[in-house]
Amino acid sequence: MKISIFGFTATRKLAAIAILASFVFSNALVIGQVRSEKIQIASTATAKYTTNLTQLGREGRLRANLSFEAETMRLVKALAERGVRQPVIVDQDKAVQQAIVEQAAIRIAKGTVPGTLANKTILKLETETLFSNARTPAEAATVVNSIINEVVASNGQTILFIDEMTNLIGATSVKNNLFNAVTEGKIVMIGGSSAADYDERINSDASIAGFFAGILVHDRNSATASNTEETASRGGYQGDNVSPDLREMMKQDPTGKKRVDVIIQAKDADNAGLRQLMASGQARVSDRIGNSETLVVNLPLSALEALSTSGLINYISPDRELRVTGHIEETTGAIAMRSQPSMNGRPAYTLDGNGVGVAVVDSGIQKNHKGFKTNGSGSSRIVANVNFTTSDMNATTDNYGHGTHVAGLAAGAASARSNGYRGVAPNSKLISVKVLGSNGEGNTSSLLNGLDWILNNAGTYDIKVVNLSLGTTAIDSYMNDPICLKVKQLVESGIVVIAAAGNLGKSATGGKAYGRIHSPGNSPYAITVGATNSYGTDSPADDTITSFSSRGPTRSFFTTSNGMRVYDNLIKPDIVAPGNRLVSYKAVGNTMSMNNPSLDVAPVGGETTDDALMYMSGTSMSAPVVAGAAALLMQVNPNLTPGMVKMILQYTAQPVAGANTFEQGAGQLNLEGAVRLARSLRTDVQFDNLNKGSSMVPSGWSMPSTTSSIGGSSFDWAQLITGDHTFMTGQNLVSKFQNVYKTSNTFGQGVTFSSGAFNLTGAGMFTTGLTVNRTVTTSNGGSMGSGSIWLTYGVLVGDGVLVGDGVLVGDGVLVGDGVLVGDGVLVGDGVLVGDGVLVGDGVLVGDGVLVGDGVLIGDSALGDDTPSMQ
């Protein structure tokens, strides 16, 4: 039996020691431990071979160096946090590494550090003196071991900076001593390394990489050049360089003694004159925004005027308190794109879905909720209410509660709680098409009637987007399924159809289940949406696929004359979006809330039932987020075809690291990127009338930046689209019209299969300059499908059976068939059900029975039990 220590087996630990030592003994290191006791180190070895940098800082014998302010702040924060990861200063110059450590010592000496670092001592090991005095490497190792032991014995009062120990390579005792201290939490190491050595000796080895976090020293050569060019002007800044609210504060406090936190956008944050000016005004720099010229400063109001007239700043404003603008708006990138500039002959405008009709096909919408009024308080934006149910005859109510919640995510405009629960397209028109009754049940005929009504009334109500947060078990091939065929008709008329993938991604035993995409999400004409878990943070960096989100491939099929089943096996979903524990609008007295009170969000002062909110989870919540996004894209460019909307959403999506194509399609919705790409296209043509290869972009066009930043995190776009069994890449997907974008076509129709290979030229629908890929990959978060191969399509294509009955596709997961056997009994997930019986995730299955599939009932009422939207 192997003994595990902090997740390391003894075998791995020994291997890691050897690797770590090769790094330690060829690079400078800082070693320290942060605790509260104070023990004096006064041994002969320590006194002889170390220098007290903190004391030198107190005596003013260390020179402050503002060039490394950002790196110094990161170092101080890392030391103060006392985490398991040890910071490593990454730079070619060892003098730079030492200078940063000295800046930390100066701050400790001055007391301008977090309390956990107060009164600590930084000692520098004088390696040159040590090596010149030691007679052998073994003797030097003994001295180092002695000092390390005394640092540990100081109970965290001492931080030891080790300059270089190259001559001690091979000293096993030192290797063991250092690594044992790290793994036991007794020593915090801050390494100094070149970038190449750090990548080779730390990042490349999983057994030790988790113990370190690199602090990359900014290259100031290029920065200096750009700063010099910009110093004489304010670039694009206009008017007074002090914000109006700061000016008002100055008027209200003539003494200027009041201290405020401000953001200074400097021309050169390292400028000596600026620093001297701030110092004379008793300003304290509390942070620097990355490697930019923006500083966070606490200063008295009396210092503002001198800064304003100095010629050294671009703009200064308060470090204002942030107010919530809405988690869905933030995490999708919608909030960043509300204000659109004048482009392509169009004046500036607000991007909010204005003029675009979104049909919500569901259980109805509570018309009195303030979230469905213009600007949250004016006239109703629900321009039509129609009802195709037989059990609930009131078209303007939502007794189930599902449709109201869905509509709020797509197009809610409530101003309550500081606009915190607005939808993606808050000024779009809403069309309520009721096909689900009071218990969330419906049938295929009701849905077909509702979709047909939309087809015939789209022009009257400007319907450009249809949201289908419902579905049936996908049995019939999309080529036969009546709902899928009606979806095809809608798309052929120019309407974007968004469909929920379903909530059958978890097997009866709690593992992953594949092949459970619902109809009509199995249609290649629909944009099918799976669910991510945003963990309640605006940054998408931590997002993952929810456990319940249905995974591909589609398992609908047709049967040949000889009894053989031919499965569609399409790559689905097409895209994913937040869908776990989302807060949206609550219909009064709805049955879901009554049966599951834990779904309710407690009201705050002054709120009525017309402001009510509740939680829901599921792909039914993810779909309207994408429907709202589609509405915004149609506002940006009304000439887009549904296929182009799908292309834009997929091309700009954020790849979710660790998720495979059957889980995420192209990736997670990135509205910031989608809007930028959409607005760069031509607005002078009806795209559906173009021929293959025609330009979709104006003269002089260049591809927008293929990275986006949302919630403080940056990521690359997916830069791909998915077909039936492949994905395609290439800039011509954006710049040249592909015939697959026509309303009558799908992406998969442009790909042919022959002689064991896929190609894009046989069908005559794609231009040249594109690449086709036949693999299902597990994403590494990069672009163009980068990652590891999870499954390869192609060799199984022959008869259309890409994945057979119950075939093991990966991760030990069986693809479920969802096949009706005998008298309407569904076999899948180990659940046997009859006609329309409610089972599992709240999904009604059986003979053509519809469900509001975004509602997870029972012990899954709130979705995945993780931090979430508040």
Side-chain angles (χ1 to χ4, degrees):
M1 173 181 282
K2 296 178 180 178
I3 305 300
S4 178
I5 302 175
F6 295 106
F8 282 70
T9 62
T11 301
R12 287 184 66 204
K13 179 181 173 183
L14 291 174
I17 289 173
I19 297 170
L20 177 66
S22 67
F23 171 75
V24 168
F25 302 128
S26 60
N27 298 281
L29 294 166
V30 178
I31 298 177
Q33 164 69 13
V34 184
R35 291 182 186 169
S36 61
E37 296 89 356
K38 190 172 184 179
I39 298 178
Q40 193 70 25
I41 295 179
S43 73
T44 303
T46 302
K48 185 174 182 180
Y49 295 114
T50 65
T51 299
N52 190 327
L53 296 181
T54 307
Q55 185 60 35
L56 292 181
R58 292 191 185 99
E59 296 170 0
R61 296 167 60 187
L62 297 180
R63 185 173 63 89
N65 189 335
L66 296 175
S67 298
F68 306 114
E69 187 167 44
E71 293 85 353
T72 302
M73 287 179 175
R74 290 180 62 190
L75 173 60
V76 168
K77 289 178 181 178
L79 287 170
E81 287 171 358
R82 298 184 290 186
V84 68
R85 300 192 72 186
Q86 320 303 315
V88 179
I89 302 169
V90 181
D91 191 82
Q92 298 294 122
D93 191 344
K94 293 177 182 177
V96 169
Q97 299 165 14
Q98 177 168 329
I100 293 171
V101 177
E102 289 180 351
Q103 302 314 299
I106 292 172
R107 294 184 180 216
I108 292 174
K110 291 183 176 181
T112 58
V113 292
T116 51
L117 289 181
N119 300 317
K120 298 296 187 288
T121 297
I122 295 182
L123 297 182
K124 175 191 174 185
L125 177 64
E126 300 293 351
T127 52
E128 290 186 5
T129 303
L130 171 63
F131 294 145
S132 64
N133 283 275
R135 288 168 292 186
T136 65
E139 184 176 329
T142 300
V143 173
V144 173
N145 266 331
S146 175
I147 294 174
I148 291 171
N149 291 338
E150 291 174 6
V151 169
V152 171
S154 74
N155 292 323
Q157 285 303 110
T158 305
I159 299 172
L160 179 64
F161 173 63
I162 303 178
D163 183 22
E164 184 178 0
M165 297 180 67
T166 305
N167 292 334
L168 295 183
I169 292 177
T172 303
S173 63
V174 176
K175 299 176 191 176
N176 291 338
N177 203 9
L178 279 172
F179 197 73
N180 283 337
V182 171
T183 58
E184 293 170 8
K186 296 179 178 179
I187 289 182
V188 176
M189 303 181 66
I190 301 174
S193 173
S194 67
D197 284 344
Y198 183 74
D199 286 339
E200 178 183 352
R201 306 184 187 197
I202 295 294
N203 274 346
S204 63
D205 190 275
S207 65
I208 63 173
F211 283 107
F212 297 95
I215 298 176
L216 181 64
V217 180
H218 181 47
D219 180 3
R220 283 159 175 77
N221 293 328
S222 59
T224 300
S226 62
N227 289 340
T228 301
E229 293 171 1
E230 294 182 5
T231 298
S233 70
R234 293 178 59 211
Y237 295 91
Q238 301 291 327
D240 188 1
N241 59 6
V242 177
S243 70
D245 41 357
L246 280 179
R247 288 290 187 196
E248 185 62 28
M249 292 181 195
M250 293 165 70
K251 289 180 182 178
Q252 293 178 1
D253 181 16
T255 68
K257 293 181 179 180
K258 181 180 179 179
R259 299 190 69 89
V260 293
D261 293 318
V262 299
I263 305 293
I264 295 178
Q265 299 175 68
K267 294 179 179 178
D268 178 4
D270 298 319
N271 181 279
L274 174 65
R275 294 303 181 128
Q276 180 60 38
L277 189 61
M278 288 195 295
S280 65
Q282 298 180 332
R284 294 192 294 267
V285 178
S286 57
D287 204 356
R288 184 169 183 165
I289 309 304
N291 295 315
S292 72
E293 307 305 327
T294 302
L295 302 172
V296 182
V297 180
N298 178 271
L299 46 65
L301 289 170
S302 59
L304 290 175
E305 193 60 44
L307 286 169
S308 175
T309 58
S310 68
L312 299 173
I313 68 168
N314 287 317
Y315 201 74
I316 184 168
S317 55
D319 187 7
R320 299 182 180 95
E321 179 183 354
L322 297 179
R323 290 184 173 88
V324 62
T325 56
H327 174 56
I328 293 302
E329 290 185 287
E330 292 282 3
T331 196
T332 60
I335 196 68
M337 306 309 290
R338 291 295 186 214
S339 179
Q340 289 296 302
S342 174
M343 288 185 68
N344 299 327
R346 181 180 185 177
Y349 64 100
T350 299
L351 184 61
D352 56 9
N354 183 42
V356 179
V358 178
V360 177
V361 184
D362 215 287
S363 60
I365 303 175
Q366 181 184 317
K367 69 172 185 177
N368 292 328
H369 199 289
K370 292 179 182 178
F372 304 124
K373 298 182 183 297
T374 302
N375 298 321
S377 59
S379 60
S380 175
R381 291 183 295 111
I382 304 174
V383 296
N385 280 288
V386 291
N387 182 14
F388 296 96
T389 68
T390 57
S391 61
D392 187 355
M393 301 305 294
N394 191 336
T396 62
T397 62
D398 179 15
N399 292 329
Y400 189 46
H402 189 261
T404 299
H405 196 277
V406 165
L409 292 170
S415 59
R417 307 194 192 199
S418 302
N419 297 320
Y421 301 104
R422 297 200 307 174
V424 178
N427 200 29
S428 59
K429 299 177 183 179
L430 279 167
I431 297 88
S432 175
V433 181
K434 190 170 183 174
V435 299
L436 299 177
S438 298
N439 293 314
E441 79 284 0
N443 52 48
T444 298
S445 61
S446 295
L447 177 56
L448 291 175
N449 280 323
L451 296 180
D452 192 66
W453 183 89
I454 293 171
L455 192 62
N456 293 320
N457 291 275
T460 303
Y461 299 106
D462 298 314
I463 299 173
K464 300 294 185 183
V465 181
V466 172
N467 186 80
L468 299 173
S469 290
L470 43 74
T472 71
T473 302
I475 304 300
D476 301 322
S477 168
Y478 72 86
M479 294 177 279
N480 300 325
D481 187 320
I483 302 174
C484 291
L485 292 175
K486 186 60 69 174
V487 165
K488 179 183 177 184
Q489 284 184 274
L490 289 168
V491 172
E492 287 174 337
S493 72
I495 297 173
V496 180
V497 179
I498 308 297
N503 298 321
L504 295 176
K506 186 186 295 186
S507 71
T509 59
K512 292 182 180 181
Y514 288 82
R516 300 290 178 82
I517 301 294
H518 279 171
S519 169
N522 62 321
S523 168
Y525 289 89
I527 298 176
T528 306
V529 185
T532 55
N533 189 341
S534 68
Y535 297 93
T537 65
D538 293 334
S539 168
D542 60 349
D543 293 2
T544 60
I545 306 298
T546 62
S547 65
F548 54 77
S549 183
S550 286
R551 299 171 174 84
T554 62
R555 298 297 290 158
S556 47
F557 64 92
F558 66 90
T559 305
T560 66
S561 58
N562 61 6
M564 180 179 178
R565 291 176 183 164
V566 180
Y567 294 87
D568 293 335
N569 284 308
L570 307 186
I571 293 175
K572 289 283 183 172
D574 300 302
I575 195 169
V576 291
N580 193 68
R581 290 177 57 83
L582 299 188
V583 177
S584 185
Y585 306 151
K586 172 188 173 183
V588 177
N590 73 80
T591 55
M592 284 192 299
S593 173
M594 293 174 64
N595 294 332
N596 299 275
S598 60
L599 297 174
D600 291 345
V601 174
V604 297
E607 288 187 347
T608 69
T609 54
D610 291 339
D611 302 293
L613 302 168
M614 66 183 294
Y615 283 99
M616 286 192 196
S617 294
T619 59
S620 270
M621 281 60 256
S622 306
V625 173
V626 176
L632 296 188
L633 295 184
M634 295 304 290
Q635 182 189 3
V636 169
N637 192 332
N639 297 331
L640 297 175
T641 68
M644 292 178 68
V645 171
K646 180 178 177 180
M647 176 274 290
I648 292 168
L649 292 174
Q650 288 199 314
Y651 197 91
T652 58
Q654 175 206 357
V656 179
N660 65 54
T661 314
F662 285 152
E663 296 177 298
Q664 68 172 321
Q668 181 166 229
L669 173 66
N670 166 26
L671 195 43
E672 188 275 344
V675 171
R676 284 196 291 113
L677 186 60
R679 74 187 184 196
S680 77
L681 303 181
R682 293 173 64 181
T683 58
D684 61 337
V685 294
Q686 290 291 335
F687 289 107
D688 203 44
N689 295 332
L690 292 182
N691 295 320
K692 183 184 72 175
S694 299
S695 177
M696 296 201 301
V697 298
S699 176
W701 175 88
S702 60
M703 174 68 80
S705 169
T706 56
T707 62
S708 288
S709 295
I710 296 176
S713 298
S714 298
F715 54 88
D716 293 329
W717 295 357
Q719 300 176 61
L720 60 82
I721 63 173
T722 57
D724 290 350
H725 316 302
T726 59
F727 66 86
M728 286 69 75
T729 60
Q731 184 170 299
N732 280 354
L733 291 170
V734 176
S735 61
K736 302 294 183 182
F737 187 79
Q738 312 296 327
N739 275 354
V740 296
Y741 299 158
K742 287 185 175 292
T743 55
S744 58
N745 298 328
T746 68
F747 295 175
Q749 291 174 336
V751 184
T752 58
F753 181 83
S754 61
S755 303
F758 290 102
N759 70 79
L760 300 178
T761 57
M765 291 203 179
F766 282 104
T767 65
T768 57
L770 303 175
T771 301
V772 62
N773 192 298
R774 61 193 283 172
T775 61
V776 174
T777 60
T778 297
S779 175
N780 61 10
S783 61
M784 293 183 281
S786 59
S788 57
I789 295 176
W790 191 80
L791 179 71
T792 298
Y793 271 103
V795 295
L796 303 174
V797 169
D799 56 7
V801 184
L802 297 182
V803 184
D805 296 345
V807 171
L808 193 69
V809 295
D811 294 335
V813 180
L814 286 170
V815 171
D817 295 325
V819 178
L820 283 172
V821 180
D823 186 19
V825 179
L826 180 71
V827 179
D829 249 359
V831 180
L832 301 179
V833 297
D835 294 339
V837 179
L838 188 65
V839 296
D841 285 344
V843 180
L844 280 167
V845 294
D847 192 13
V849 178
L850 288 176
V851 295
D853 67 348
V855 184
L856 303 180
I857 297 176
D859 59 3
S860 297
L862 292 179
D864 289 345
D865 187 16
T866 64
S868 62
M869 182 179 181
Q870 299 297 316

